[in-house]
Amino acid sequence: MKLPYAEPYKIKMVENISKSTIENRIEWIKNAKYNLFNLKSNQVFIDLLTDSGTGAMSDKQWSEIMLGDESYAGASSYFKLKNAISDILGFPYFLPTHQGRAAENVLFSALVKKGDFVPGNAHFDTTKGHIEFRKATAVDCTIDEAYDIENLFPFKGNVNLNKLEAVLKEHKNNIPFIIITITCNSAGGQPVSMQNLRDVKNLADKYNKIVVFDSARFAENAYLIKTREAEYKDVSIRDIVKEMFSYADVMTMSSKKDAIVNMGGFIGIKDEEIFKKATVFNIIFEGYITYGGMSGRDMNALAQGLHEGTEFYYLESRINQVKFLGDKLVEFGVPVQKPFGGHAIFVDANKILQHIPVEQYRAQILAVELYIEAGVRGVEIGTLLADRDPITKKDRYPKNEFVRLAIPRRTYTNNHIEYVAVALANVLNRSKKITSGYKIISEAPIMRHFTVELEKA
Ligand code: F0G
């Protein structure tokens, strides 16, 4: 028999988590204005809100914390991280930042101006936020297959080259860069193929544009290239990663994902001029060049995390745990985005709650019901997240109303995952009894989903 995959680590320390009753949770979520971000962590049993900063660091990473050099300038921790970024990712210049959106803020301050267009696959919400905040426009050129959850195309994060070229032609003087998010979180944690990365780079060269990778989950993207793109079957993860980044001029990184740390980010840059421009903003917003928003100890743990996060057996167990959840949900008849992505399973609330008007935020309803059922916290990736159109101020209804169940790295066992799947199956079985959703009572002008307050419609 083929041996099943198993985690290439064992547990050295545990953290207790809190159980509660349905009655508790009905009360708590009402007090939280039906916004899962407002819950206290001890009101949650299994937390799949995000895989960002919620992973478990290894004993080696914790050891690196003790070795951190907190010198203001020229710390050895900075050079340790610089070497890891250059060895693993191939960027000679880098700027540390406190997290991914800070990297976006610094880079976009240097490159994006009012009236610009920034095309790519589906932009993550902070990326889009930082573009729109500068009165520029994010243009989503993701392939159409991405929006059909049953379509088994293996690289639903790919950029549609025709759509991209049309934007490049129409706005050629107002495009600071093309940005590709690997894996594409907003399209369901879907990977981008090496072929597509190469094709986008060729198109960018034709129009003399630079390419930025939003790289939060680059290692998961590399694993999915290895397992889904035939010619990379025998290529190592490290070599795949190297080739992927050979097609980028700049990378932004939220290290809270694939570098398995709780906080941190950076910008990797190949061109000295861009590095110099961005450095000015990094010093203003983040900190001096050799720490920019991070402690020495955190840079150490991050450098170690880049090594561990790009190991094949770690990635194999990681991606297979996500698949374990996907397979269970499919077995229970829950409609989910297929093929499964890298960090999360995306559940299609439109299919489960089509009897409720879309104006009542179907994905939010499903996320709240899952919480009430079992204390499991997911997150809405639907109309609340999509924000209002900046011009018409009307709700933007995305093609999919998803609940994302993001799995923290090296944190939960498959027993936890099975519990989540059964909880969701129970919600599916009683879904016809859910007859209404929510209306907004208060919201922020941008990125409203974090703080929005809701009441029953
Ligand atoms: N880019 C992508 C693709 C992301 O998924 C995130 C964060 C960011 C950039 C911003 O990074 O949080 O370090 O500032 N995603 C988290 C999530 C929040 O839950 O998916 P950050």
Side-chain angles (χ1 to χ4, degrees):
M1 276 195 292
K2 187 175 182 292
L3 288 171
Y5 77 90
E7 290 75 7
Y9 50 83
K10 58 184 177 177
I11 296 166
K12 202 192 286 258
M13 187 187 277
V14 295
E15 176 183 347
N16 288 326
I17 49 179
S18 316
K19 286 213 144 190
S20 54
T21 64
I22 289 195
E23 291 72 31
N24 292 148
R25 295 190 291 269
I26 288 175
E27 177 74 19
W28 291 335
I29 193 66
K30 182 167 179 260
N31 292 340
K33 303 280 193 283
Y34 299 101
N35 182 340
L36 293 142
F37 285 97
N38 287 337
L39 291 171
K40 294 185 181 136
S41 62
N42 65 5
Q43 296 171 334
V44 176
F45 180 50
I46 296 177
D47 204 349
L48 306 188
L49 181 73
T50 180
D51 62 321
S52 180
T54 52
M57 290 211 294
S58 68
D59 51 355
K60 287 206 175 123
Q61 285 179 291
W62 282 109
S63 309
E64 285 295 333
I65 293 267
M66 292 305 295
L67 298 173
D69 175 357
E70 306 303 342
S71 305
Y72 192 97
S76 64
S77 301
Y78 167 81
F79 291 103
K80 195 176 264 180
L81 180 53
K82 184 174 165 61
N83 288 341
I85 291 171
S86 129
D87 291 350
I88 299 172
L89 311 171
F91 288 84
Y93 299 102
F94 101 98
L95 290 167
T97 63
H98 76 272
Q99 61 182 88
R101 68 199 69 185
E104 292 165 356
N105 186 32
V106 168
L107 184 71
F108 297 3
S109 293
L111 300 182
V112 179
K113 55 183 193 330
K114 187 176 169 186
D116 277 351
F117 292 82
V118 184
N121 54 359
H123 306 66
F124 182 65
D125 56 334
T126 60
T127 318
K128 193 196 255 173
H130 273 296
I131 293 169
E132 292 179 351
F133 179 72
R134 290 172 172 79
K135 307 235 175 313
T137 308
V139 191
D140 182 351
C141 303
T142 314
I143 54 169
D144 294 333
E145 288 90 331
Y147 302 104
D148 172 5
I149 67 160
E150 295 299 336
N151 188 320
L152 292 178
F153 186 69
F155 292 101
K156 285 163 129 179
N158 279 2
V159 176
N160 178 320
L161 299 168
N162 293 331
K163 286 191 207 172
L164 176 62
E165 187 153 22
V167 180
L168 286 166
K169 272 193 186 137
E170 193 182 341
H171 301 290
K172 53 176 167 298
N173 298 325
N174 295 313
I175 295 181
F177 53 81
I178 298 164
I179 188 160
I180 313 180
T181 305
I182 51 173
T183 58
C184 189
N185 191 1
S186 309
Q190 295 290 321
V192 181
S193 70
M194 192 73 89
Q195 183 64 51
N196 195 249
L197 294 176
R198 202 178 295 129
D199 290 343
V200 169
K201 178 65 178 156
N202 285 336
L203 209 51
D205 286 347
K206 181 173 159 193
Y207 288 86
N208 204 15
K209 298 294 173 197
I210 60 171
V211 176
V212 177
F213 285 180
D214 174 352
S215 319
R217 301 179 182 85
F218 74 94
E220 292 168 3
N221 201 91
Y223 178 87
L224 293 168
I225 285 178
K226 185 174 170 71
T227 49
R228 292 183 188 176
E229 200 165 350
E231 58 185 293
Y232 289 91
K233 188 161 74 55
D234 299 319
V235 183
S236 72
I237 294 289
R238 289 283 162 79
D239 285 346
I240 292 174
V241 166
K242 276 257 166 66
E243 185 180 342
M244 280 164 46
F245 285 110
S246 75
Y247 305 124
D249 301 285
V250 181
M251 66 175 289
T252 54
M253 179 71 187
S254 167
S255 310
K256 303 165 73 173
K257 284 83 168 175
D258 275 358
I260 329 179
V261 289
N262 303 118
M263 190 52 74
F266 59 87
I267 310 170
I269 304 171
K270 290 187 183 158
D271 175 77
E272 192 182 356
E273 283 311 306
I274 297 178
F275 171 69
K276 280 187 180 157
K277 261 176 123 172
T279 296
V280 178
F281 293 99
N282 212 61
I283 293 174
I284 296 174
F285 292 137
E286 293 294 298
Y288 179 65
I289 308 169
T290 63
Y291 72 87
M294 294 184 74
S295 327
R297 55 181 172 272
D298 288 339
M299 288 192 280
N300 270 13
L302 167 49
Q304 176 64 23
L306 283 173
H307 287 282
E308 294 179 16
T310 48
E311 279 168 11
F312 174 78
Y313 290 115
Y314 153 70
L315 284 166
E316 179 187 51
S317 73
R318 159 77 177 152
I319 302 285
N320 275 293
Q321 187 173 52
V322 174
K323 180 173 178 301
F324 179 75
L325 175 59
D327 284 340
K328 281 274 163 211
L329 290 174
V330 169
E331 184 189 323
F332 296 150
V334 177
V336 298
Q337 159 86 299
K338 291 193 239 30
F340 310 133
H343 66 295
I345 295 297
F346 287 64
V347 183
D348 185 353
N350 273 341
K351 289 223 165 60
I352 299 176
L353 297 172
Q354 51 192 300
H355 56 286
I356 300 180
V358 70
E359 292 80 9
Q360 293 182 14
Y361 309 110
R362 288 172 181 162
Q364 185 67 11
I365 305 171
L366 188 62
V368 169
E369 291 300 327
L370 177 61
Y371 171 69
I372 291 173
E373 178 71 29
V376 175
R377 174 158 70 169
V379 73
E380 191 249 26
I381 305 271
T383 307
L384 288 176
L385 179 95
D387 271 332
R388 290 176 192 272
D389 183 288
I391 294 160
T392 66
K393 306 286 178 217
K394 292 222 163 76
D395 265 349
R396 294 189 272 212
Y397 295 104
K399 293 199 181 85
N400 298 110
E401 287 281 340
F402 284 130
V403 172
R404 185 186 74 172
L405 303 172
I407 304 187
R409 293 167 183 77
R410 307 191 290 207
T411 303
Y412 291 112
T413 67
N414 281 2
N415 275 340
H416 290 116
I417 300 298
E418 186 156 5
Y419 174 100
V420 171
V422 171
L424 201 50
N426 290 349
V427 174
L428 175 70
N429 290 338
R430 63 175 171 77
S431 59
K432 291 290 169 291
K433 293 195 195 119
I434 305 168
T435 51
S436 65
Y438 299 99
K439 60 179 186 230
I440 293 178
I441 46 178
S442 134
E443 67 182 294
I446 199 161
M447 295 203 191
R448 63 179 178 181
H449 67 292
F450 289 117
T451 52
V452 70
E453 295 187 347
L454 303 166
E455 65 181 17
K456 290 204 164 162

